[in-house]
């Protein structure tokens, strides 16, 4: 089809054009709504995960002196509070006391009965031997021992001992602290207040539930967006012989592609999440555990990657950010605008060298397809490295267990961006077929 024929067909605007545009307009609004919701939920998910990783960060857990203090103090307090001497323990302790008392009596008798040089010493020795029978004292030792143990194990004495132990433990707790404790505690409390929860367990449960729901909905929106695009492509098959409808159909298809591009570069494309799922050991017969310890978390969109690179102080990072901005965001948009101008404009404008170059020949500079492959390779590489490193942290022994978890994944933003790349390639081929350029 020549350019003149295309323009002639475009001028014959009638009822079929209106019906097509209105129908595709409704579908386009649906795609835009799905994209808006996907992008909003993607941002919400990123914020929730950042808050989750802050509260559960390993620096606030396994690497926190205060958390270790709290865990150990809880175990010791329970041990002290629940302490009661059993009959066997009383018997063993009484035997120890008897042994010490027998030894004490023997040493005392030996000390008095050793040769004395002074008159006073000799008189004390004589009086002791005359009035004291060492064997009688030794015979009373078991009774003394039982009385001592009964006194020590009485409820009043046990309570006093527990109070002494607890006060000393509290004193030790107060002396053991992390210099960042107050700042960390303030951050944690502010996040608890933000999500209206009372503690860490409720916080984790609340956010896990919300994230699961968001994950399901975002993927549904992504598939719905792609469904709209597939429907538009199906119309090309149905109307491949309806030449007079190609121009409005192509323009509307460009709008479908534009929405895919905008959502694809702003929604999250990759998420890196490495954590220690559980780290537990046995202390004094009780289990001490640290769960959901986040080692590293990052969630990025293409646009946020560009912002991060451009804001760097290193020139090479800034240059990479500018190149990504130009060849993955700006150039694809310019190409779509040029295609739209070429298809709807008069021949003088449509055949402009700049318009024709952007519409048909600039594809070799468009790196969106390279970005899709690059993101996929980055994901495969990161996923493999993280799995390998985390496997070295897995420990399984009788008293110590550590289980790691790798939640690194591609996100719906990547699916949408890949969908845009495929759709843009198809539109480029369609444009060549429906214009004179395809006959050159």
């Amino acid at each position: 089809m020549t350019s003149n024929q295309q323009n002639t067909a475009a001028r014959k605007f009638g009822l079929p054009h209106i019906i097509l545009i209105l129908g595709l307009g409704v579908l386009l609004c649906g795609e835009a709504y799905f994209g808006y919701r996907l992008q909003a939920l993607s941002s919400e998910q990123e914020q929730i995960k950042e808050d989750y990783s802050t509260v559960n960060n390993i620096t606030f857990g396994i690497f926190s002196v205060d958390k270790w203090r709290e865990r150990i103090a809880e175990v010791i307090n329970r041990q002290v509070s629940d302490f009661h001497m059993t009959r066997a323990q009383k018997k063993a302790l009484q035997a120890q006391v008897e042994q010490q008392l027998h030894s004490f009596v023997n040493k005392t008798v030996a000390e008095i009965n050793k040769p004395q040089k002074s008159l006073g010493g000799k008189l004390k020795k004589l009086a002791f031997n005359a009035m004291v029978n060492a064997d009688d004292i030794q015979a009373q030792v078991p009774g003394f021992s039982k009385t001592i143990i009964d006194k020590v194990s009485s409820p009043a004495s046990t309570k006093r001992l527990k109070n002494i132990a607890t006060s000393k433990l509290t004193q030790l707790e107060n002396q053991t602290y992390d210099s960042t404790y107050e700042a960390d505690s303030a951050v944690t409390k502010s996040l608890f207040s933000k999500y209206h929860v009372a503690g860490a367990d409720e916080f984790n449960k609340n956010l896990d539930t919300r994230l699961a729901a968001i994950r399901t909905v975002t993927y549904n929106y992504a598939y719905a967006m792609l469904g709209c695009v597939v429907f538009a492509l199906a119309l090309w098959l149905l109307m491949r012989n309806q030449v007079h409808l190609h121009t409005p159909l192509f323009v509307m298809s460009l709008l479908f592609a534009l929405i895919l591009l905008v959502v694809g570069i702003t929604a999250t494309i990759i998420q890196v999440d490495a954590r220690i799922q559980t780290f537990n050991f046995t202390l004094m017969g009780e289990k001490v555990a640290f769960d959901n310890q986040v080692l590293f978390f990052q969630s990025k969109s293409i646009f946020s990657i560009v912002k991060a690179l451009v804001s760097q102080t290193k020139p090479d990072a800034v240059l990479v950010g500018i190149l990504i901005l130009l060849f993955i965001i700006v150039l694809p948009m310019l190409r779509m605008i040029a295609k739209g101008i070429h298809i709807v404009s008069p021949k003088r404008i449509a055949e402009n060298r700049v318009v024709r170059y952007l519409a048909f020949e600039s594809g070799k500079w468009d790196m969106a397809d390279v970005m899709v492959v690059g993101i996929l390779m980055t994901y495969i590489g990161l996923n493999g490295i993280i799995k390998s490193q985390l496997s070295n942290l897995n420990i399984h022994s009788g008293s110590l267990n550590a289980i790691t978890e790798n939640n690194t994944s591609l996100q719906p933003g990547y699916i949408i961006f890949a969908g845009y790349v495929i759709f843009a390639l198809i539109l480029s081929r369609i444009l060549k077929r429906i214009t004179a350029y395809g006959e050159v």
Side-chain angles (χ1 to χ4, degrees), residues 51-52 54-57 60-61 67 70-71 188-189 191-193 195-208 289-293:
D51 293 340
Y52 185 93
T54 297
V55 171
N56 294 280
N57 194 281
F60 291 177
K67 291 299 181 182
E70 291 174 4
R71 298 288 200 282
T188 302
K189 287 180 180 178
L191 290 175
F192 289 169
S193 176
Y195 293 97
H196 309 289
V197 296
D201 291 339
E202 186 180 355
F203 175 86
N204 291 339
K205 185 177 180 180
N206 184 308
L207 266 62
D208 284 338
F290 292 87
D291 297 325
N292 291 324
Q293 298 293 287

Side-chain angles (χ1 to χ4, degrees), residues 41-91:
L41 288 173
S42 180
S43 298
E44 182 182 352
Q45 175 182 258
E46 184 173 350
Q47 184 59 57
I48 291 175
K49 286 222 166 186
E50 286 180 357
D51 293 340
Y52 185 93
S53 64
T54 297
V55 171
N56 294 280
N57 194 281
I58 193 169
T59 57
F60 291 177
I62 295 177
F63 289 168
S64 171
V65 173
D66 298 290
K67 291 299 181 182
W68 278 95
R69 180 196 65 187
E70 291 174 4
R71 298 288 200 282
I72 294 174
E74 287 175 1
V75 172
I76 297 177
N77 277 326
R78 282 196 296 269
Q79 292 288 329
V80 171
S81 299
D82 297 338
F83 174 74
H84 294 283
M85 279 196 294
T86 64
R87 182 175 299 179
Q89 289 174 333
K90 289 180 181 180
K91 186 175 181 180

Side-chain angles (χ1 to χ4, degrees), residues 396-413:
H396 300 283
S397 65
S399 58
L400 176 63
N401 288 288
I403 302 173
T404 59
E405 184 177 10
N406 177 23
N407 291 325
T408 301
S409 62
L410 293 174
Q411 295 296 298

Side-chain angles (χ1 to χ4, degrees), residues 90 100 107 148 167 175 201 245 270 277 307 362 377 392 415 434:
K90 289 180 181 180
Q100 294 298 322
K107 288 181 179 179
I148 292 172
S167 63
Q175 294 173 352
D201 291 339
L245 297 177
I270 190 170
Q277 183 180 4
K307 286 178 61 179
S362 61
M377 297 304 295
N392 296 327
I415 298 174
I434 67 175

Side-chain angles (χ1 to χ4, degrees), residues 357-370:
Y357 179 81
L358 288 173
F360 297 102
E361 300 176 19
S362 61
K364 58 187 177 183
W365 299 106
D366 189 341
M367 296 298 168
D369 53 345
V370 177

Side-chain angles (χ1 to χ4, degrees), residues 366-400:
D366 189 341
M367 296 298 168
D369 53 345
V370 177
M371 189 69 173
V372 169
V373 177
I375 293 170
L376 180 61
M377 297 304 295
T378 299
Y379 163 71
I380 293 173
L382 276 175
N383 197 44
I385 292 171
I386 292 173
K387 279 186 176 180
S388 175
Q389 295 299 317
L390 290 180
S391 64
N392 296 327
L393 298 178
N394 288 324
I395 302 172
H396 300 283
S397 65
S399 58
L400 176 63

Side-chain angles (χ1 to χ4, degrees), residues 16-31:
H17 295 78
I18 295 175
I19 295 174
L20 178 64
I21 292 173
L22 288 177
L24 287 176
V26 173
L27 193 64
L28 185 68
C29 290
E31 184 197 14

Side-chain angles (χ1 to χ4, degrees), residues 215-263:
R215 187 181 304 111
T216 301
V217 174
T218 51
Y219 274 101
N220 289 339
Y221 283 140
Y223 298 142
M225 289 184 68
L226 295 179
C228 293
V229 172
V230 170
F231 185 84
L233 286 175
L235 287 179
W236 278 104
L237 290 176
L238 295 174
M239 300 180 181
R240 59 185 180 276
N241 296 324
Q242 305 295 322
V243 178
H244 62 289
L245 297 177
H246 284 176
T247 296
L249 181 56
F250 189 82
V251 172
M252 296 299 291
S253 297
L254 288 176
L255 295 177
F256 278 95
L258 179 62
I259 292 174
L260 286 180
L261 177 61
V262 172
V263 176

